[in-house]
Amino acid sequence: MTRLTTHDIDKLDSELTQYNLSLIEKTGVDLAALASFAAGITRESFKQAAQNHMAAAVPITSGQGIIGGFSESVQSIIQFLGFDCFVTRAADVAGIAEAIDRKASIIFVADDDRFIAYNVGKGSYVDNGEATGRGYVAALAHMAKGLKGQEVLVLGAGPVGQSAVAFLKELGAWVKLFDIQPEALKAYQTDAQVTIEHSLLEALSKYQFILDATPAGGFIGADDLPHEAMLAAPGIPLGLKQEALTKYERHLIHDPLQIGVATMLAMIL
Ligand code: 2YC
């Protein structure tokens, strides 16, 4: 799990409108539509649900502590989607108690290992990794105008990559999976819809649709990819080198929190 820095998110809330417009440009739909698609609900029902929910973001001081702006960024994404959301004044357990006292129906909380959204009424939660994998597949599917029957390369078989593989299979894609640790691929050995790739460079040169769910940064060069490549890259830092970023920007989906948080919200309603 990579850890965000304040720098990764410092302009996030002031740029949400522009970010949403760029999503529409690349995928044809906005953040609410992508999150709804990933959660298997209609955009209308997602918007409707905003009337019946109050969300809270609770800062957590454990481990490496609070990331400046993290809870506020979560709050601004949720508010951008039309839901009420407050950041608790208290942190940790006192913050959770405050969220419940202030009638929050959904509580967003993250320590160094897990980031979850907890639905108080339902007593269920969704994990950021699972939501991010689905949300980024939703973005890639819209950018590609559908992935049914298409070959999609997934880099990284961690929580995000595993969730992305599951959703890609639901969408009828043929998954090509690469991970630097062979044991991470064992679970897929007998999966008919998943083929294991053993050479990263060979795989990068072969497939048009790529989901980079690795925590590695700057390992994909502009010449490593097919000209028509389309990439969804939830991993922080970005796997593309600057030269590749310049060449593929128009067909690249990459953000530090937005798609993951929006999809958590849509999935936990
Ligand atoms: O400010 C706080 O409450 C901190 N405890 C938050 C720590 C978040 C650590 N996780 C991450 O930075 C990454 C994010 C990309 C989302 C999931 N993990």
Side-chain angles (χ1 to χ4, degrees):
M1 157 91 78
T2 52
R3 184 180 163 89
L4 286 175
T5 65
T6 300
H7 174 70
D8 292 324
I9 50 179
D10 63 0
K11 295 190 297 299
L12 187 146
D13 55 348
S14 64
E15 293 180 346
L16 274 171
T17 301
Q18 182 47 44
Y19 168 81
N20 205 33
L21 289 175
S22 79
L23 269 191
I24 294 167
E25 232 168 76
K26 294 176 184 178
T27 70
V29 294
D30 68 0
L31 183 61
L34 285 178
S36 307
F37 180 84
I41 62 174
T42 64
R43 187 176 182 286
E44 295 69 46
S45 62
F46 182 46
K47 287 295 183 179
Q48 269 303 315
Q51 322 307 327
N52 321 318
H53 280 283
M54 166 71 80
V58 182
I60 298 295
T61 64
S62 67
Q64 298 181 58
I66 285 173
I67 298 175
F70 179 83
S71 292
E72 293 74 13
S73 296
V74 170
Q75 175 191 32
S76 61
I77 295 162
I78 294 168
Q79 289 175 331
F80 180 76
L81 292 164
F83 287 69
D84 287 330
C85 183
F86 60 91
V87 174
T88 56
R89 287 179 290 276
D92 303 325
V93 176
I96 292 170
E98 179 187 333
I100 294 167
D101 290 343
R102 292 171 65 180
K103 306 288 179 244
S105 56
I106 302 170
I107 298 174
F108 284 75
V109 64
D111 64 14
D112 294 348
D113 305 312
R114 297 289 296 272
F115 176 19
I116 66 168
Y118 175 65
N119 184 314
V120 180
K122 284 186 177 172
S124 61
Y125 73 87
V126 70
D127 181 90
N128 172 263
E130 184 193 358
T132 300
R134 293 182 73 92
Y136 270 79
V137 165
L140 188 61
H142 281 81
M143 204 160 42
K145 298 194 181 350
L147 287 174
K148 187 172 171 51
Q150 298 283 1
E151 294 180 322
V152 181
L153 174 62
V154 175
L155 304 178
V160 175
Q162 288 169 44
S163 172
V165 169
F167 195 29
L168 284 166
K169 287 173 61 181
E170 281 177 45
L171 297 179
W174 297 105
V175 180
K176 309 294 177 183
L177 181 59
F178 173 84
D179 194 292
I180 48 171
Q181 294 167 338
E183 61 277 6
L185 303 169
K186 276 207 183 70
Y188 297 100
Q189 235 101 42
T190 57
D191 188 325
Q193 234 175 313
V194 178
T195 316
I196 304 301
E197 287 290 335
H198 300 284
S199 155
L200 175 62
L201 277 178
E202 190 190 314
L204 287 173
S205 69
K206 260 194 312 190
Y207 302 110
Q208 177 183 11
F209 304 118
I210 299 165
L211 194 136
D212 170 20
T214 69
F219 65 96
I220 301 174
D223 301 336
D224 296 336
L225 300 167
H227 288 300
E228 67 286 356
M230 292 186 172
L231 303 105
I236 295 268
L238 183 59
L240 292 178
K241 291 177 180 169
Q242 186 54 49
E243 66 192 46
L245 178 57
T246 310
K247 180 175 177 186
Y248 291 99
E249 172 67 31
R250 275 185 339 99
H251 290 129
L252 167 69
I253 304 292
H254 174 66
D255 69 41
L257 267 181
Q258 293 91 321
I259 287 175
V261 168
T263 305
M264 289 168 85
L265 183 60
M267 288 176 75
I268 198 55
L269 293 175

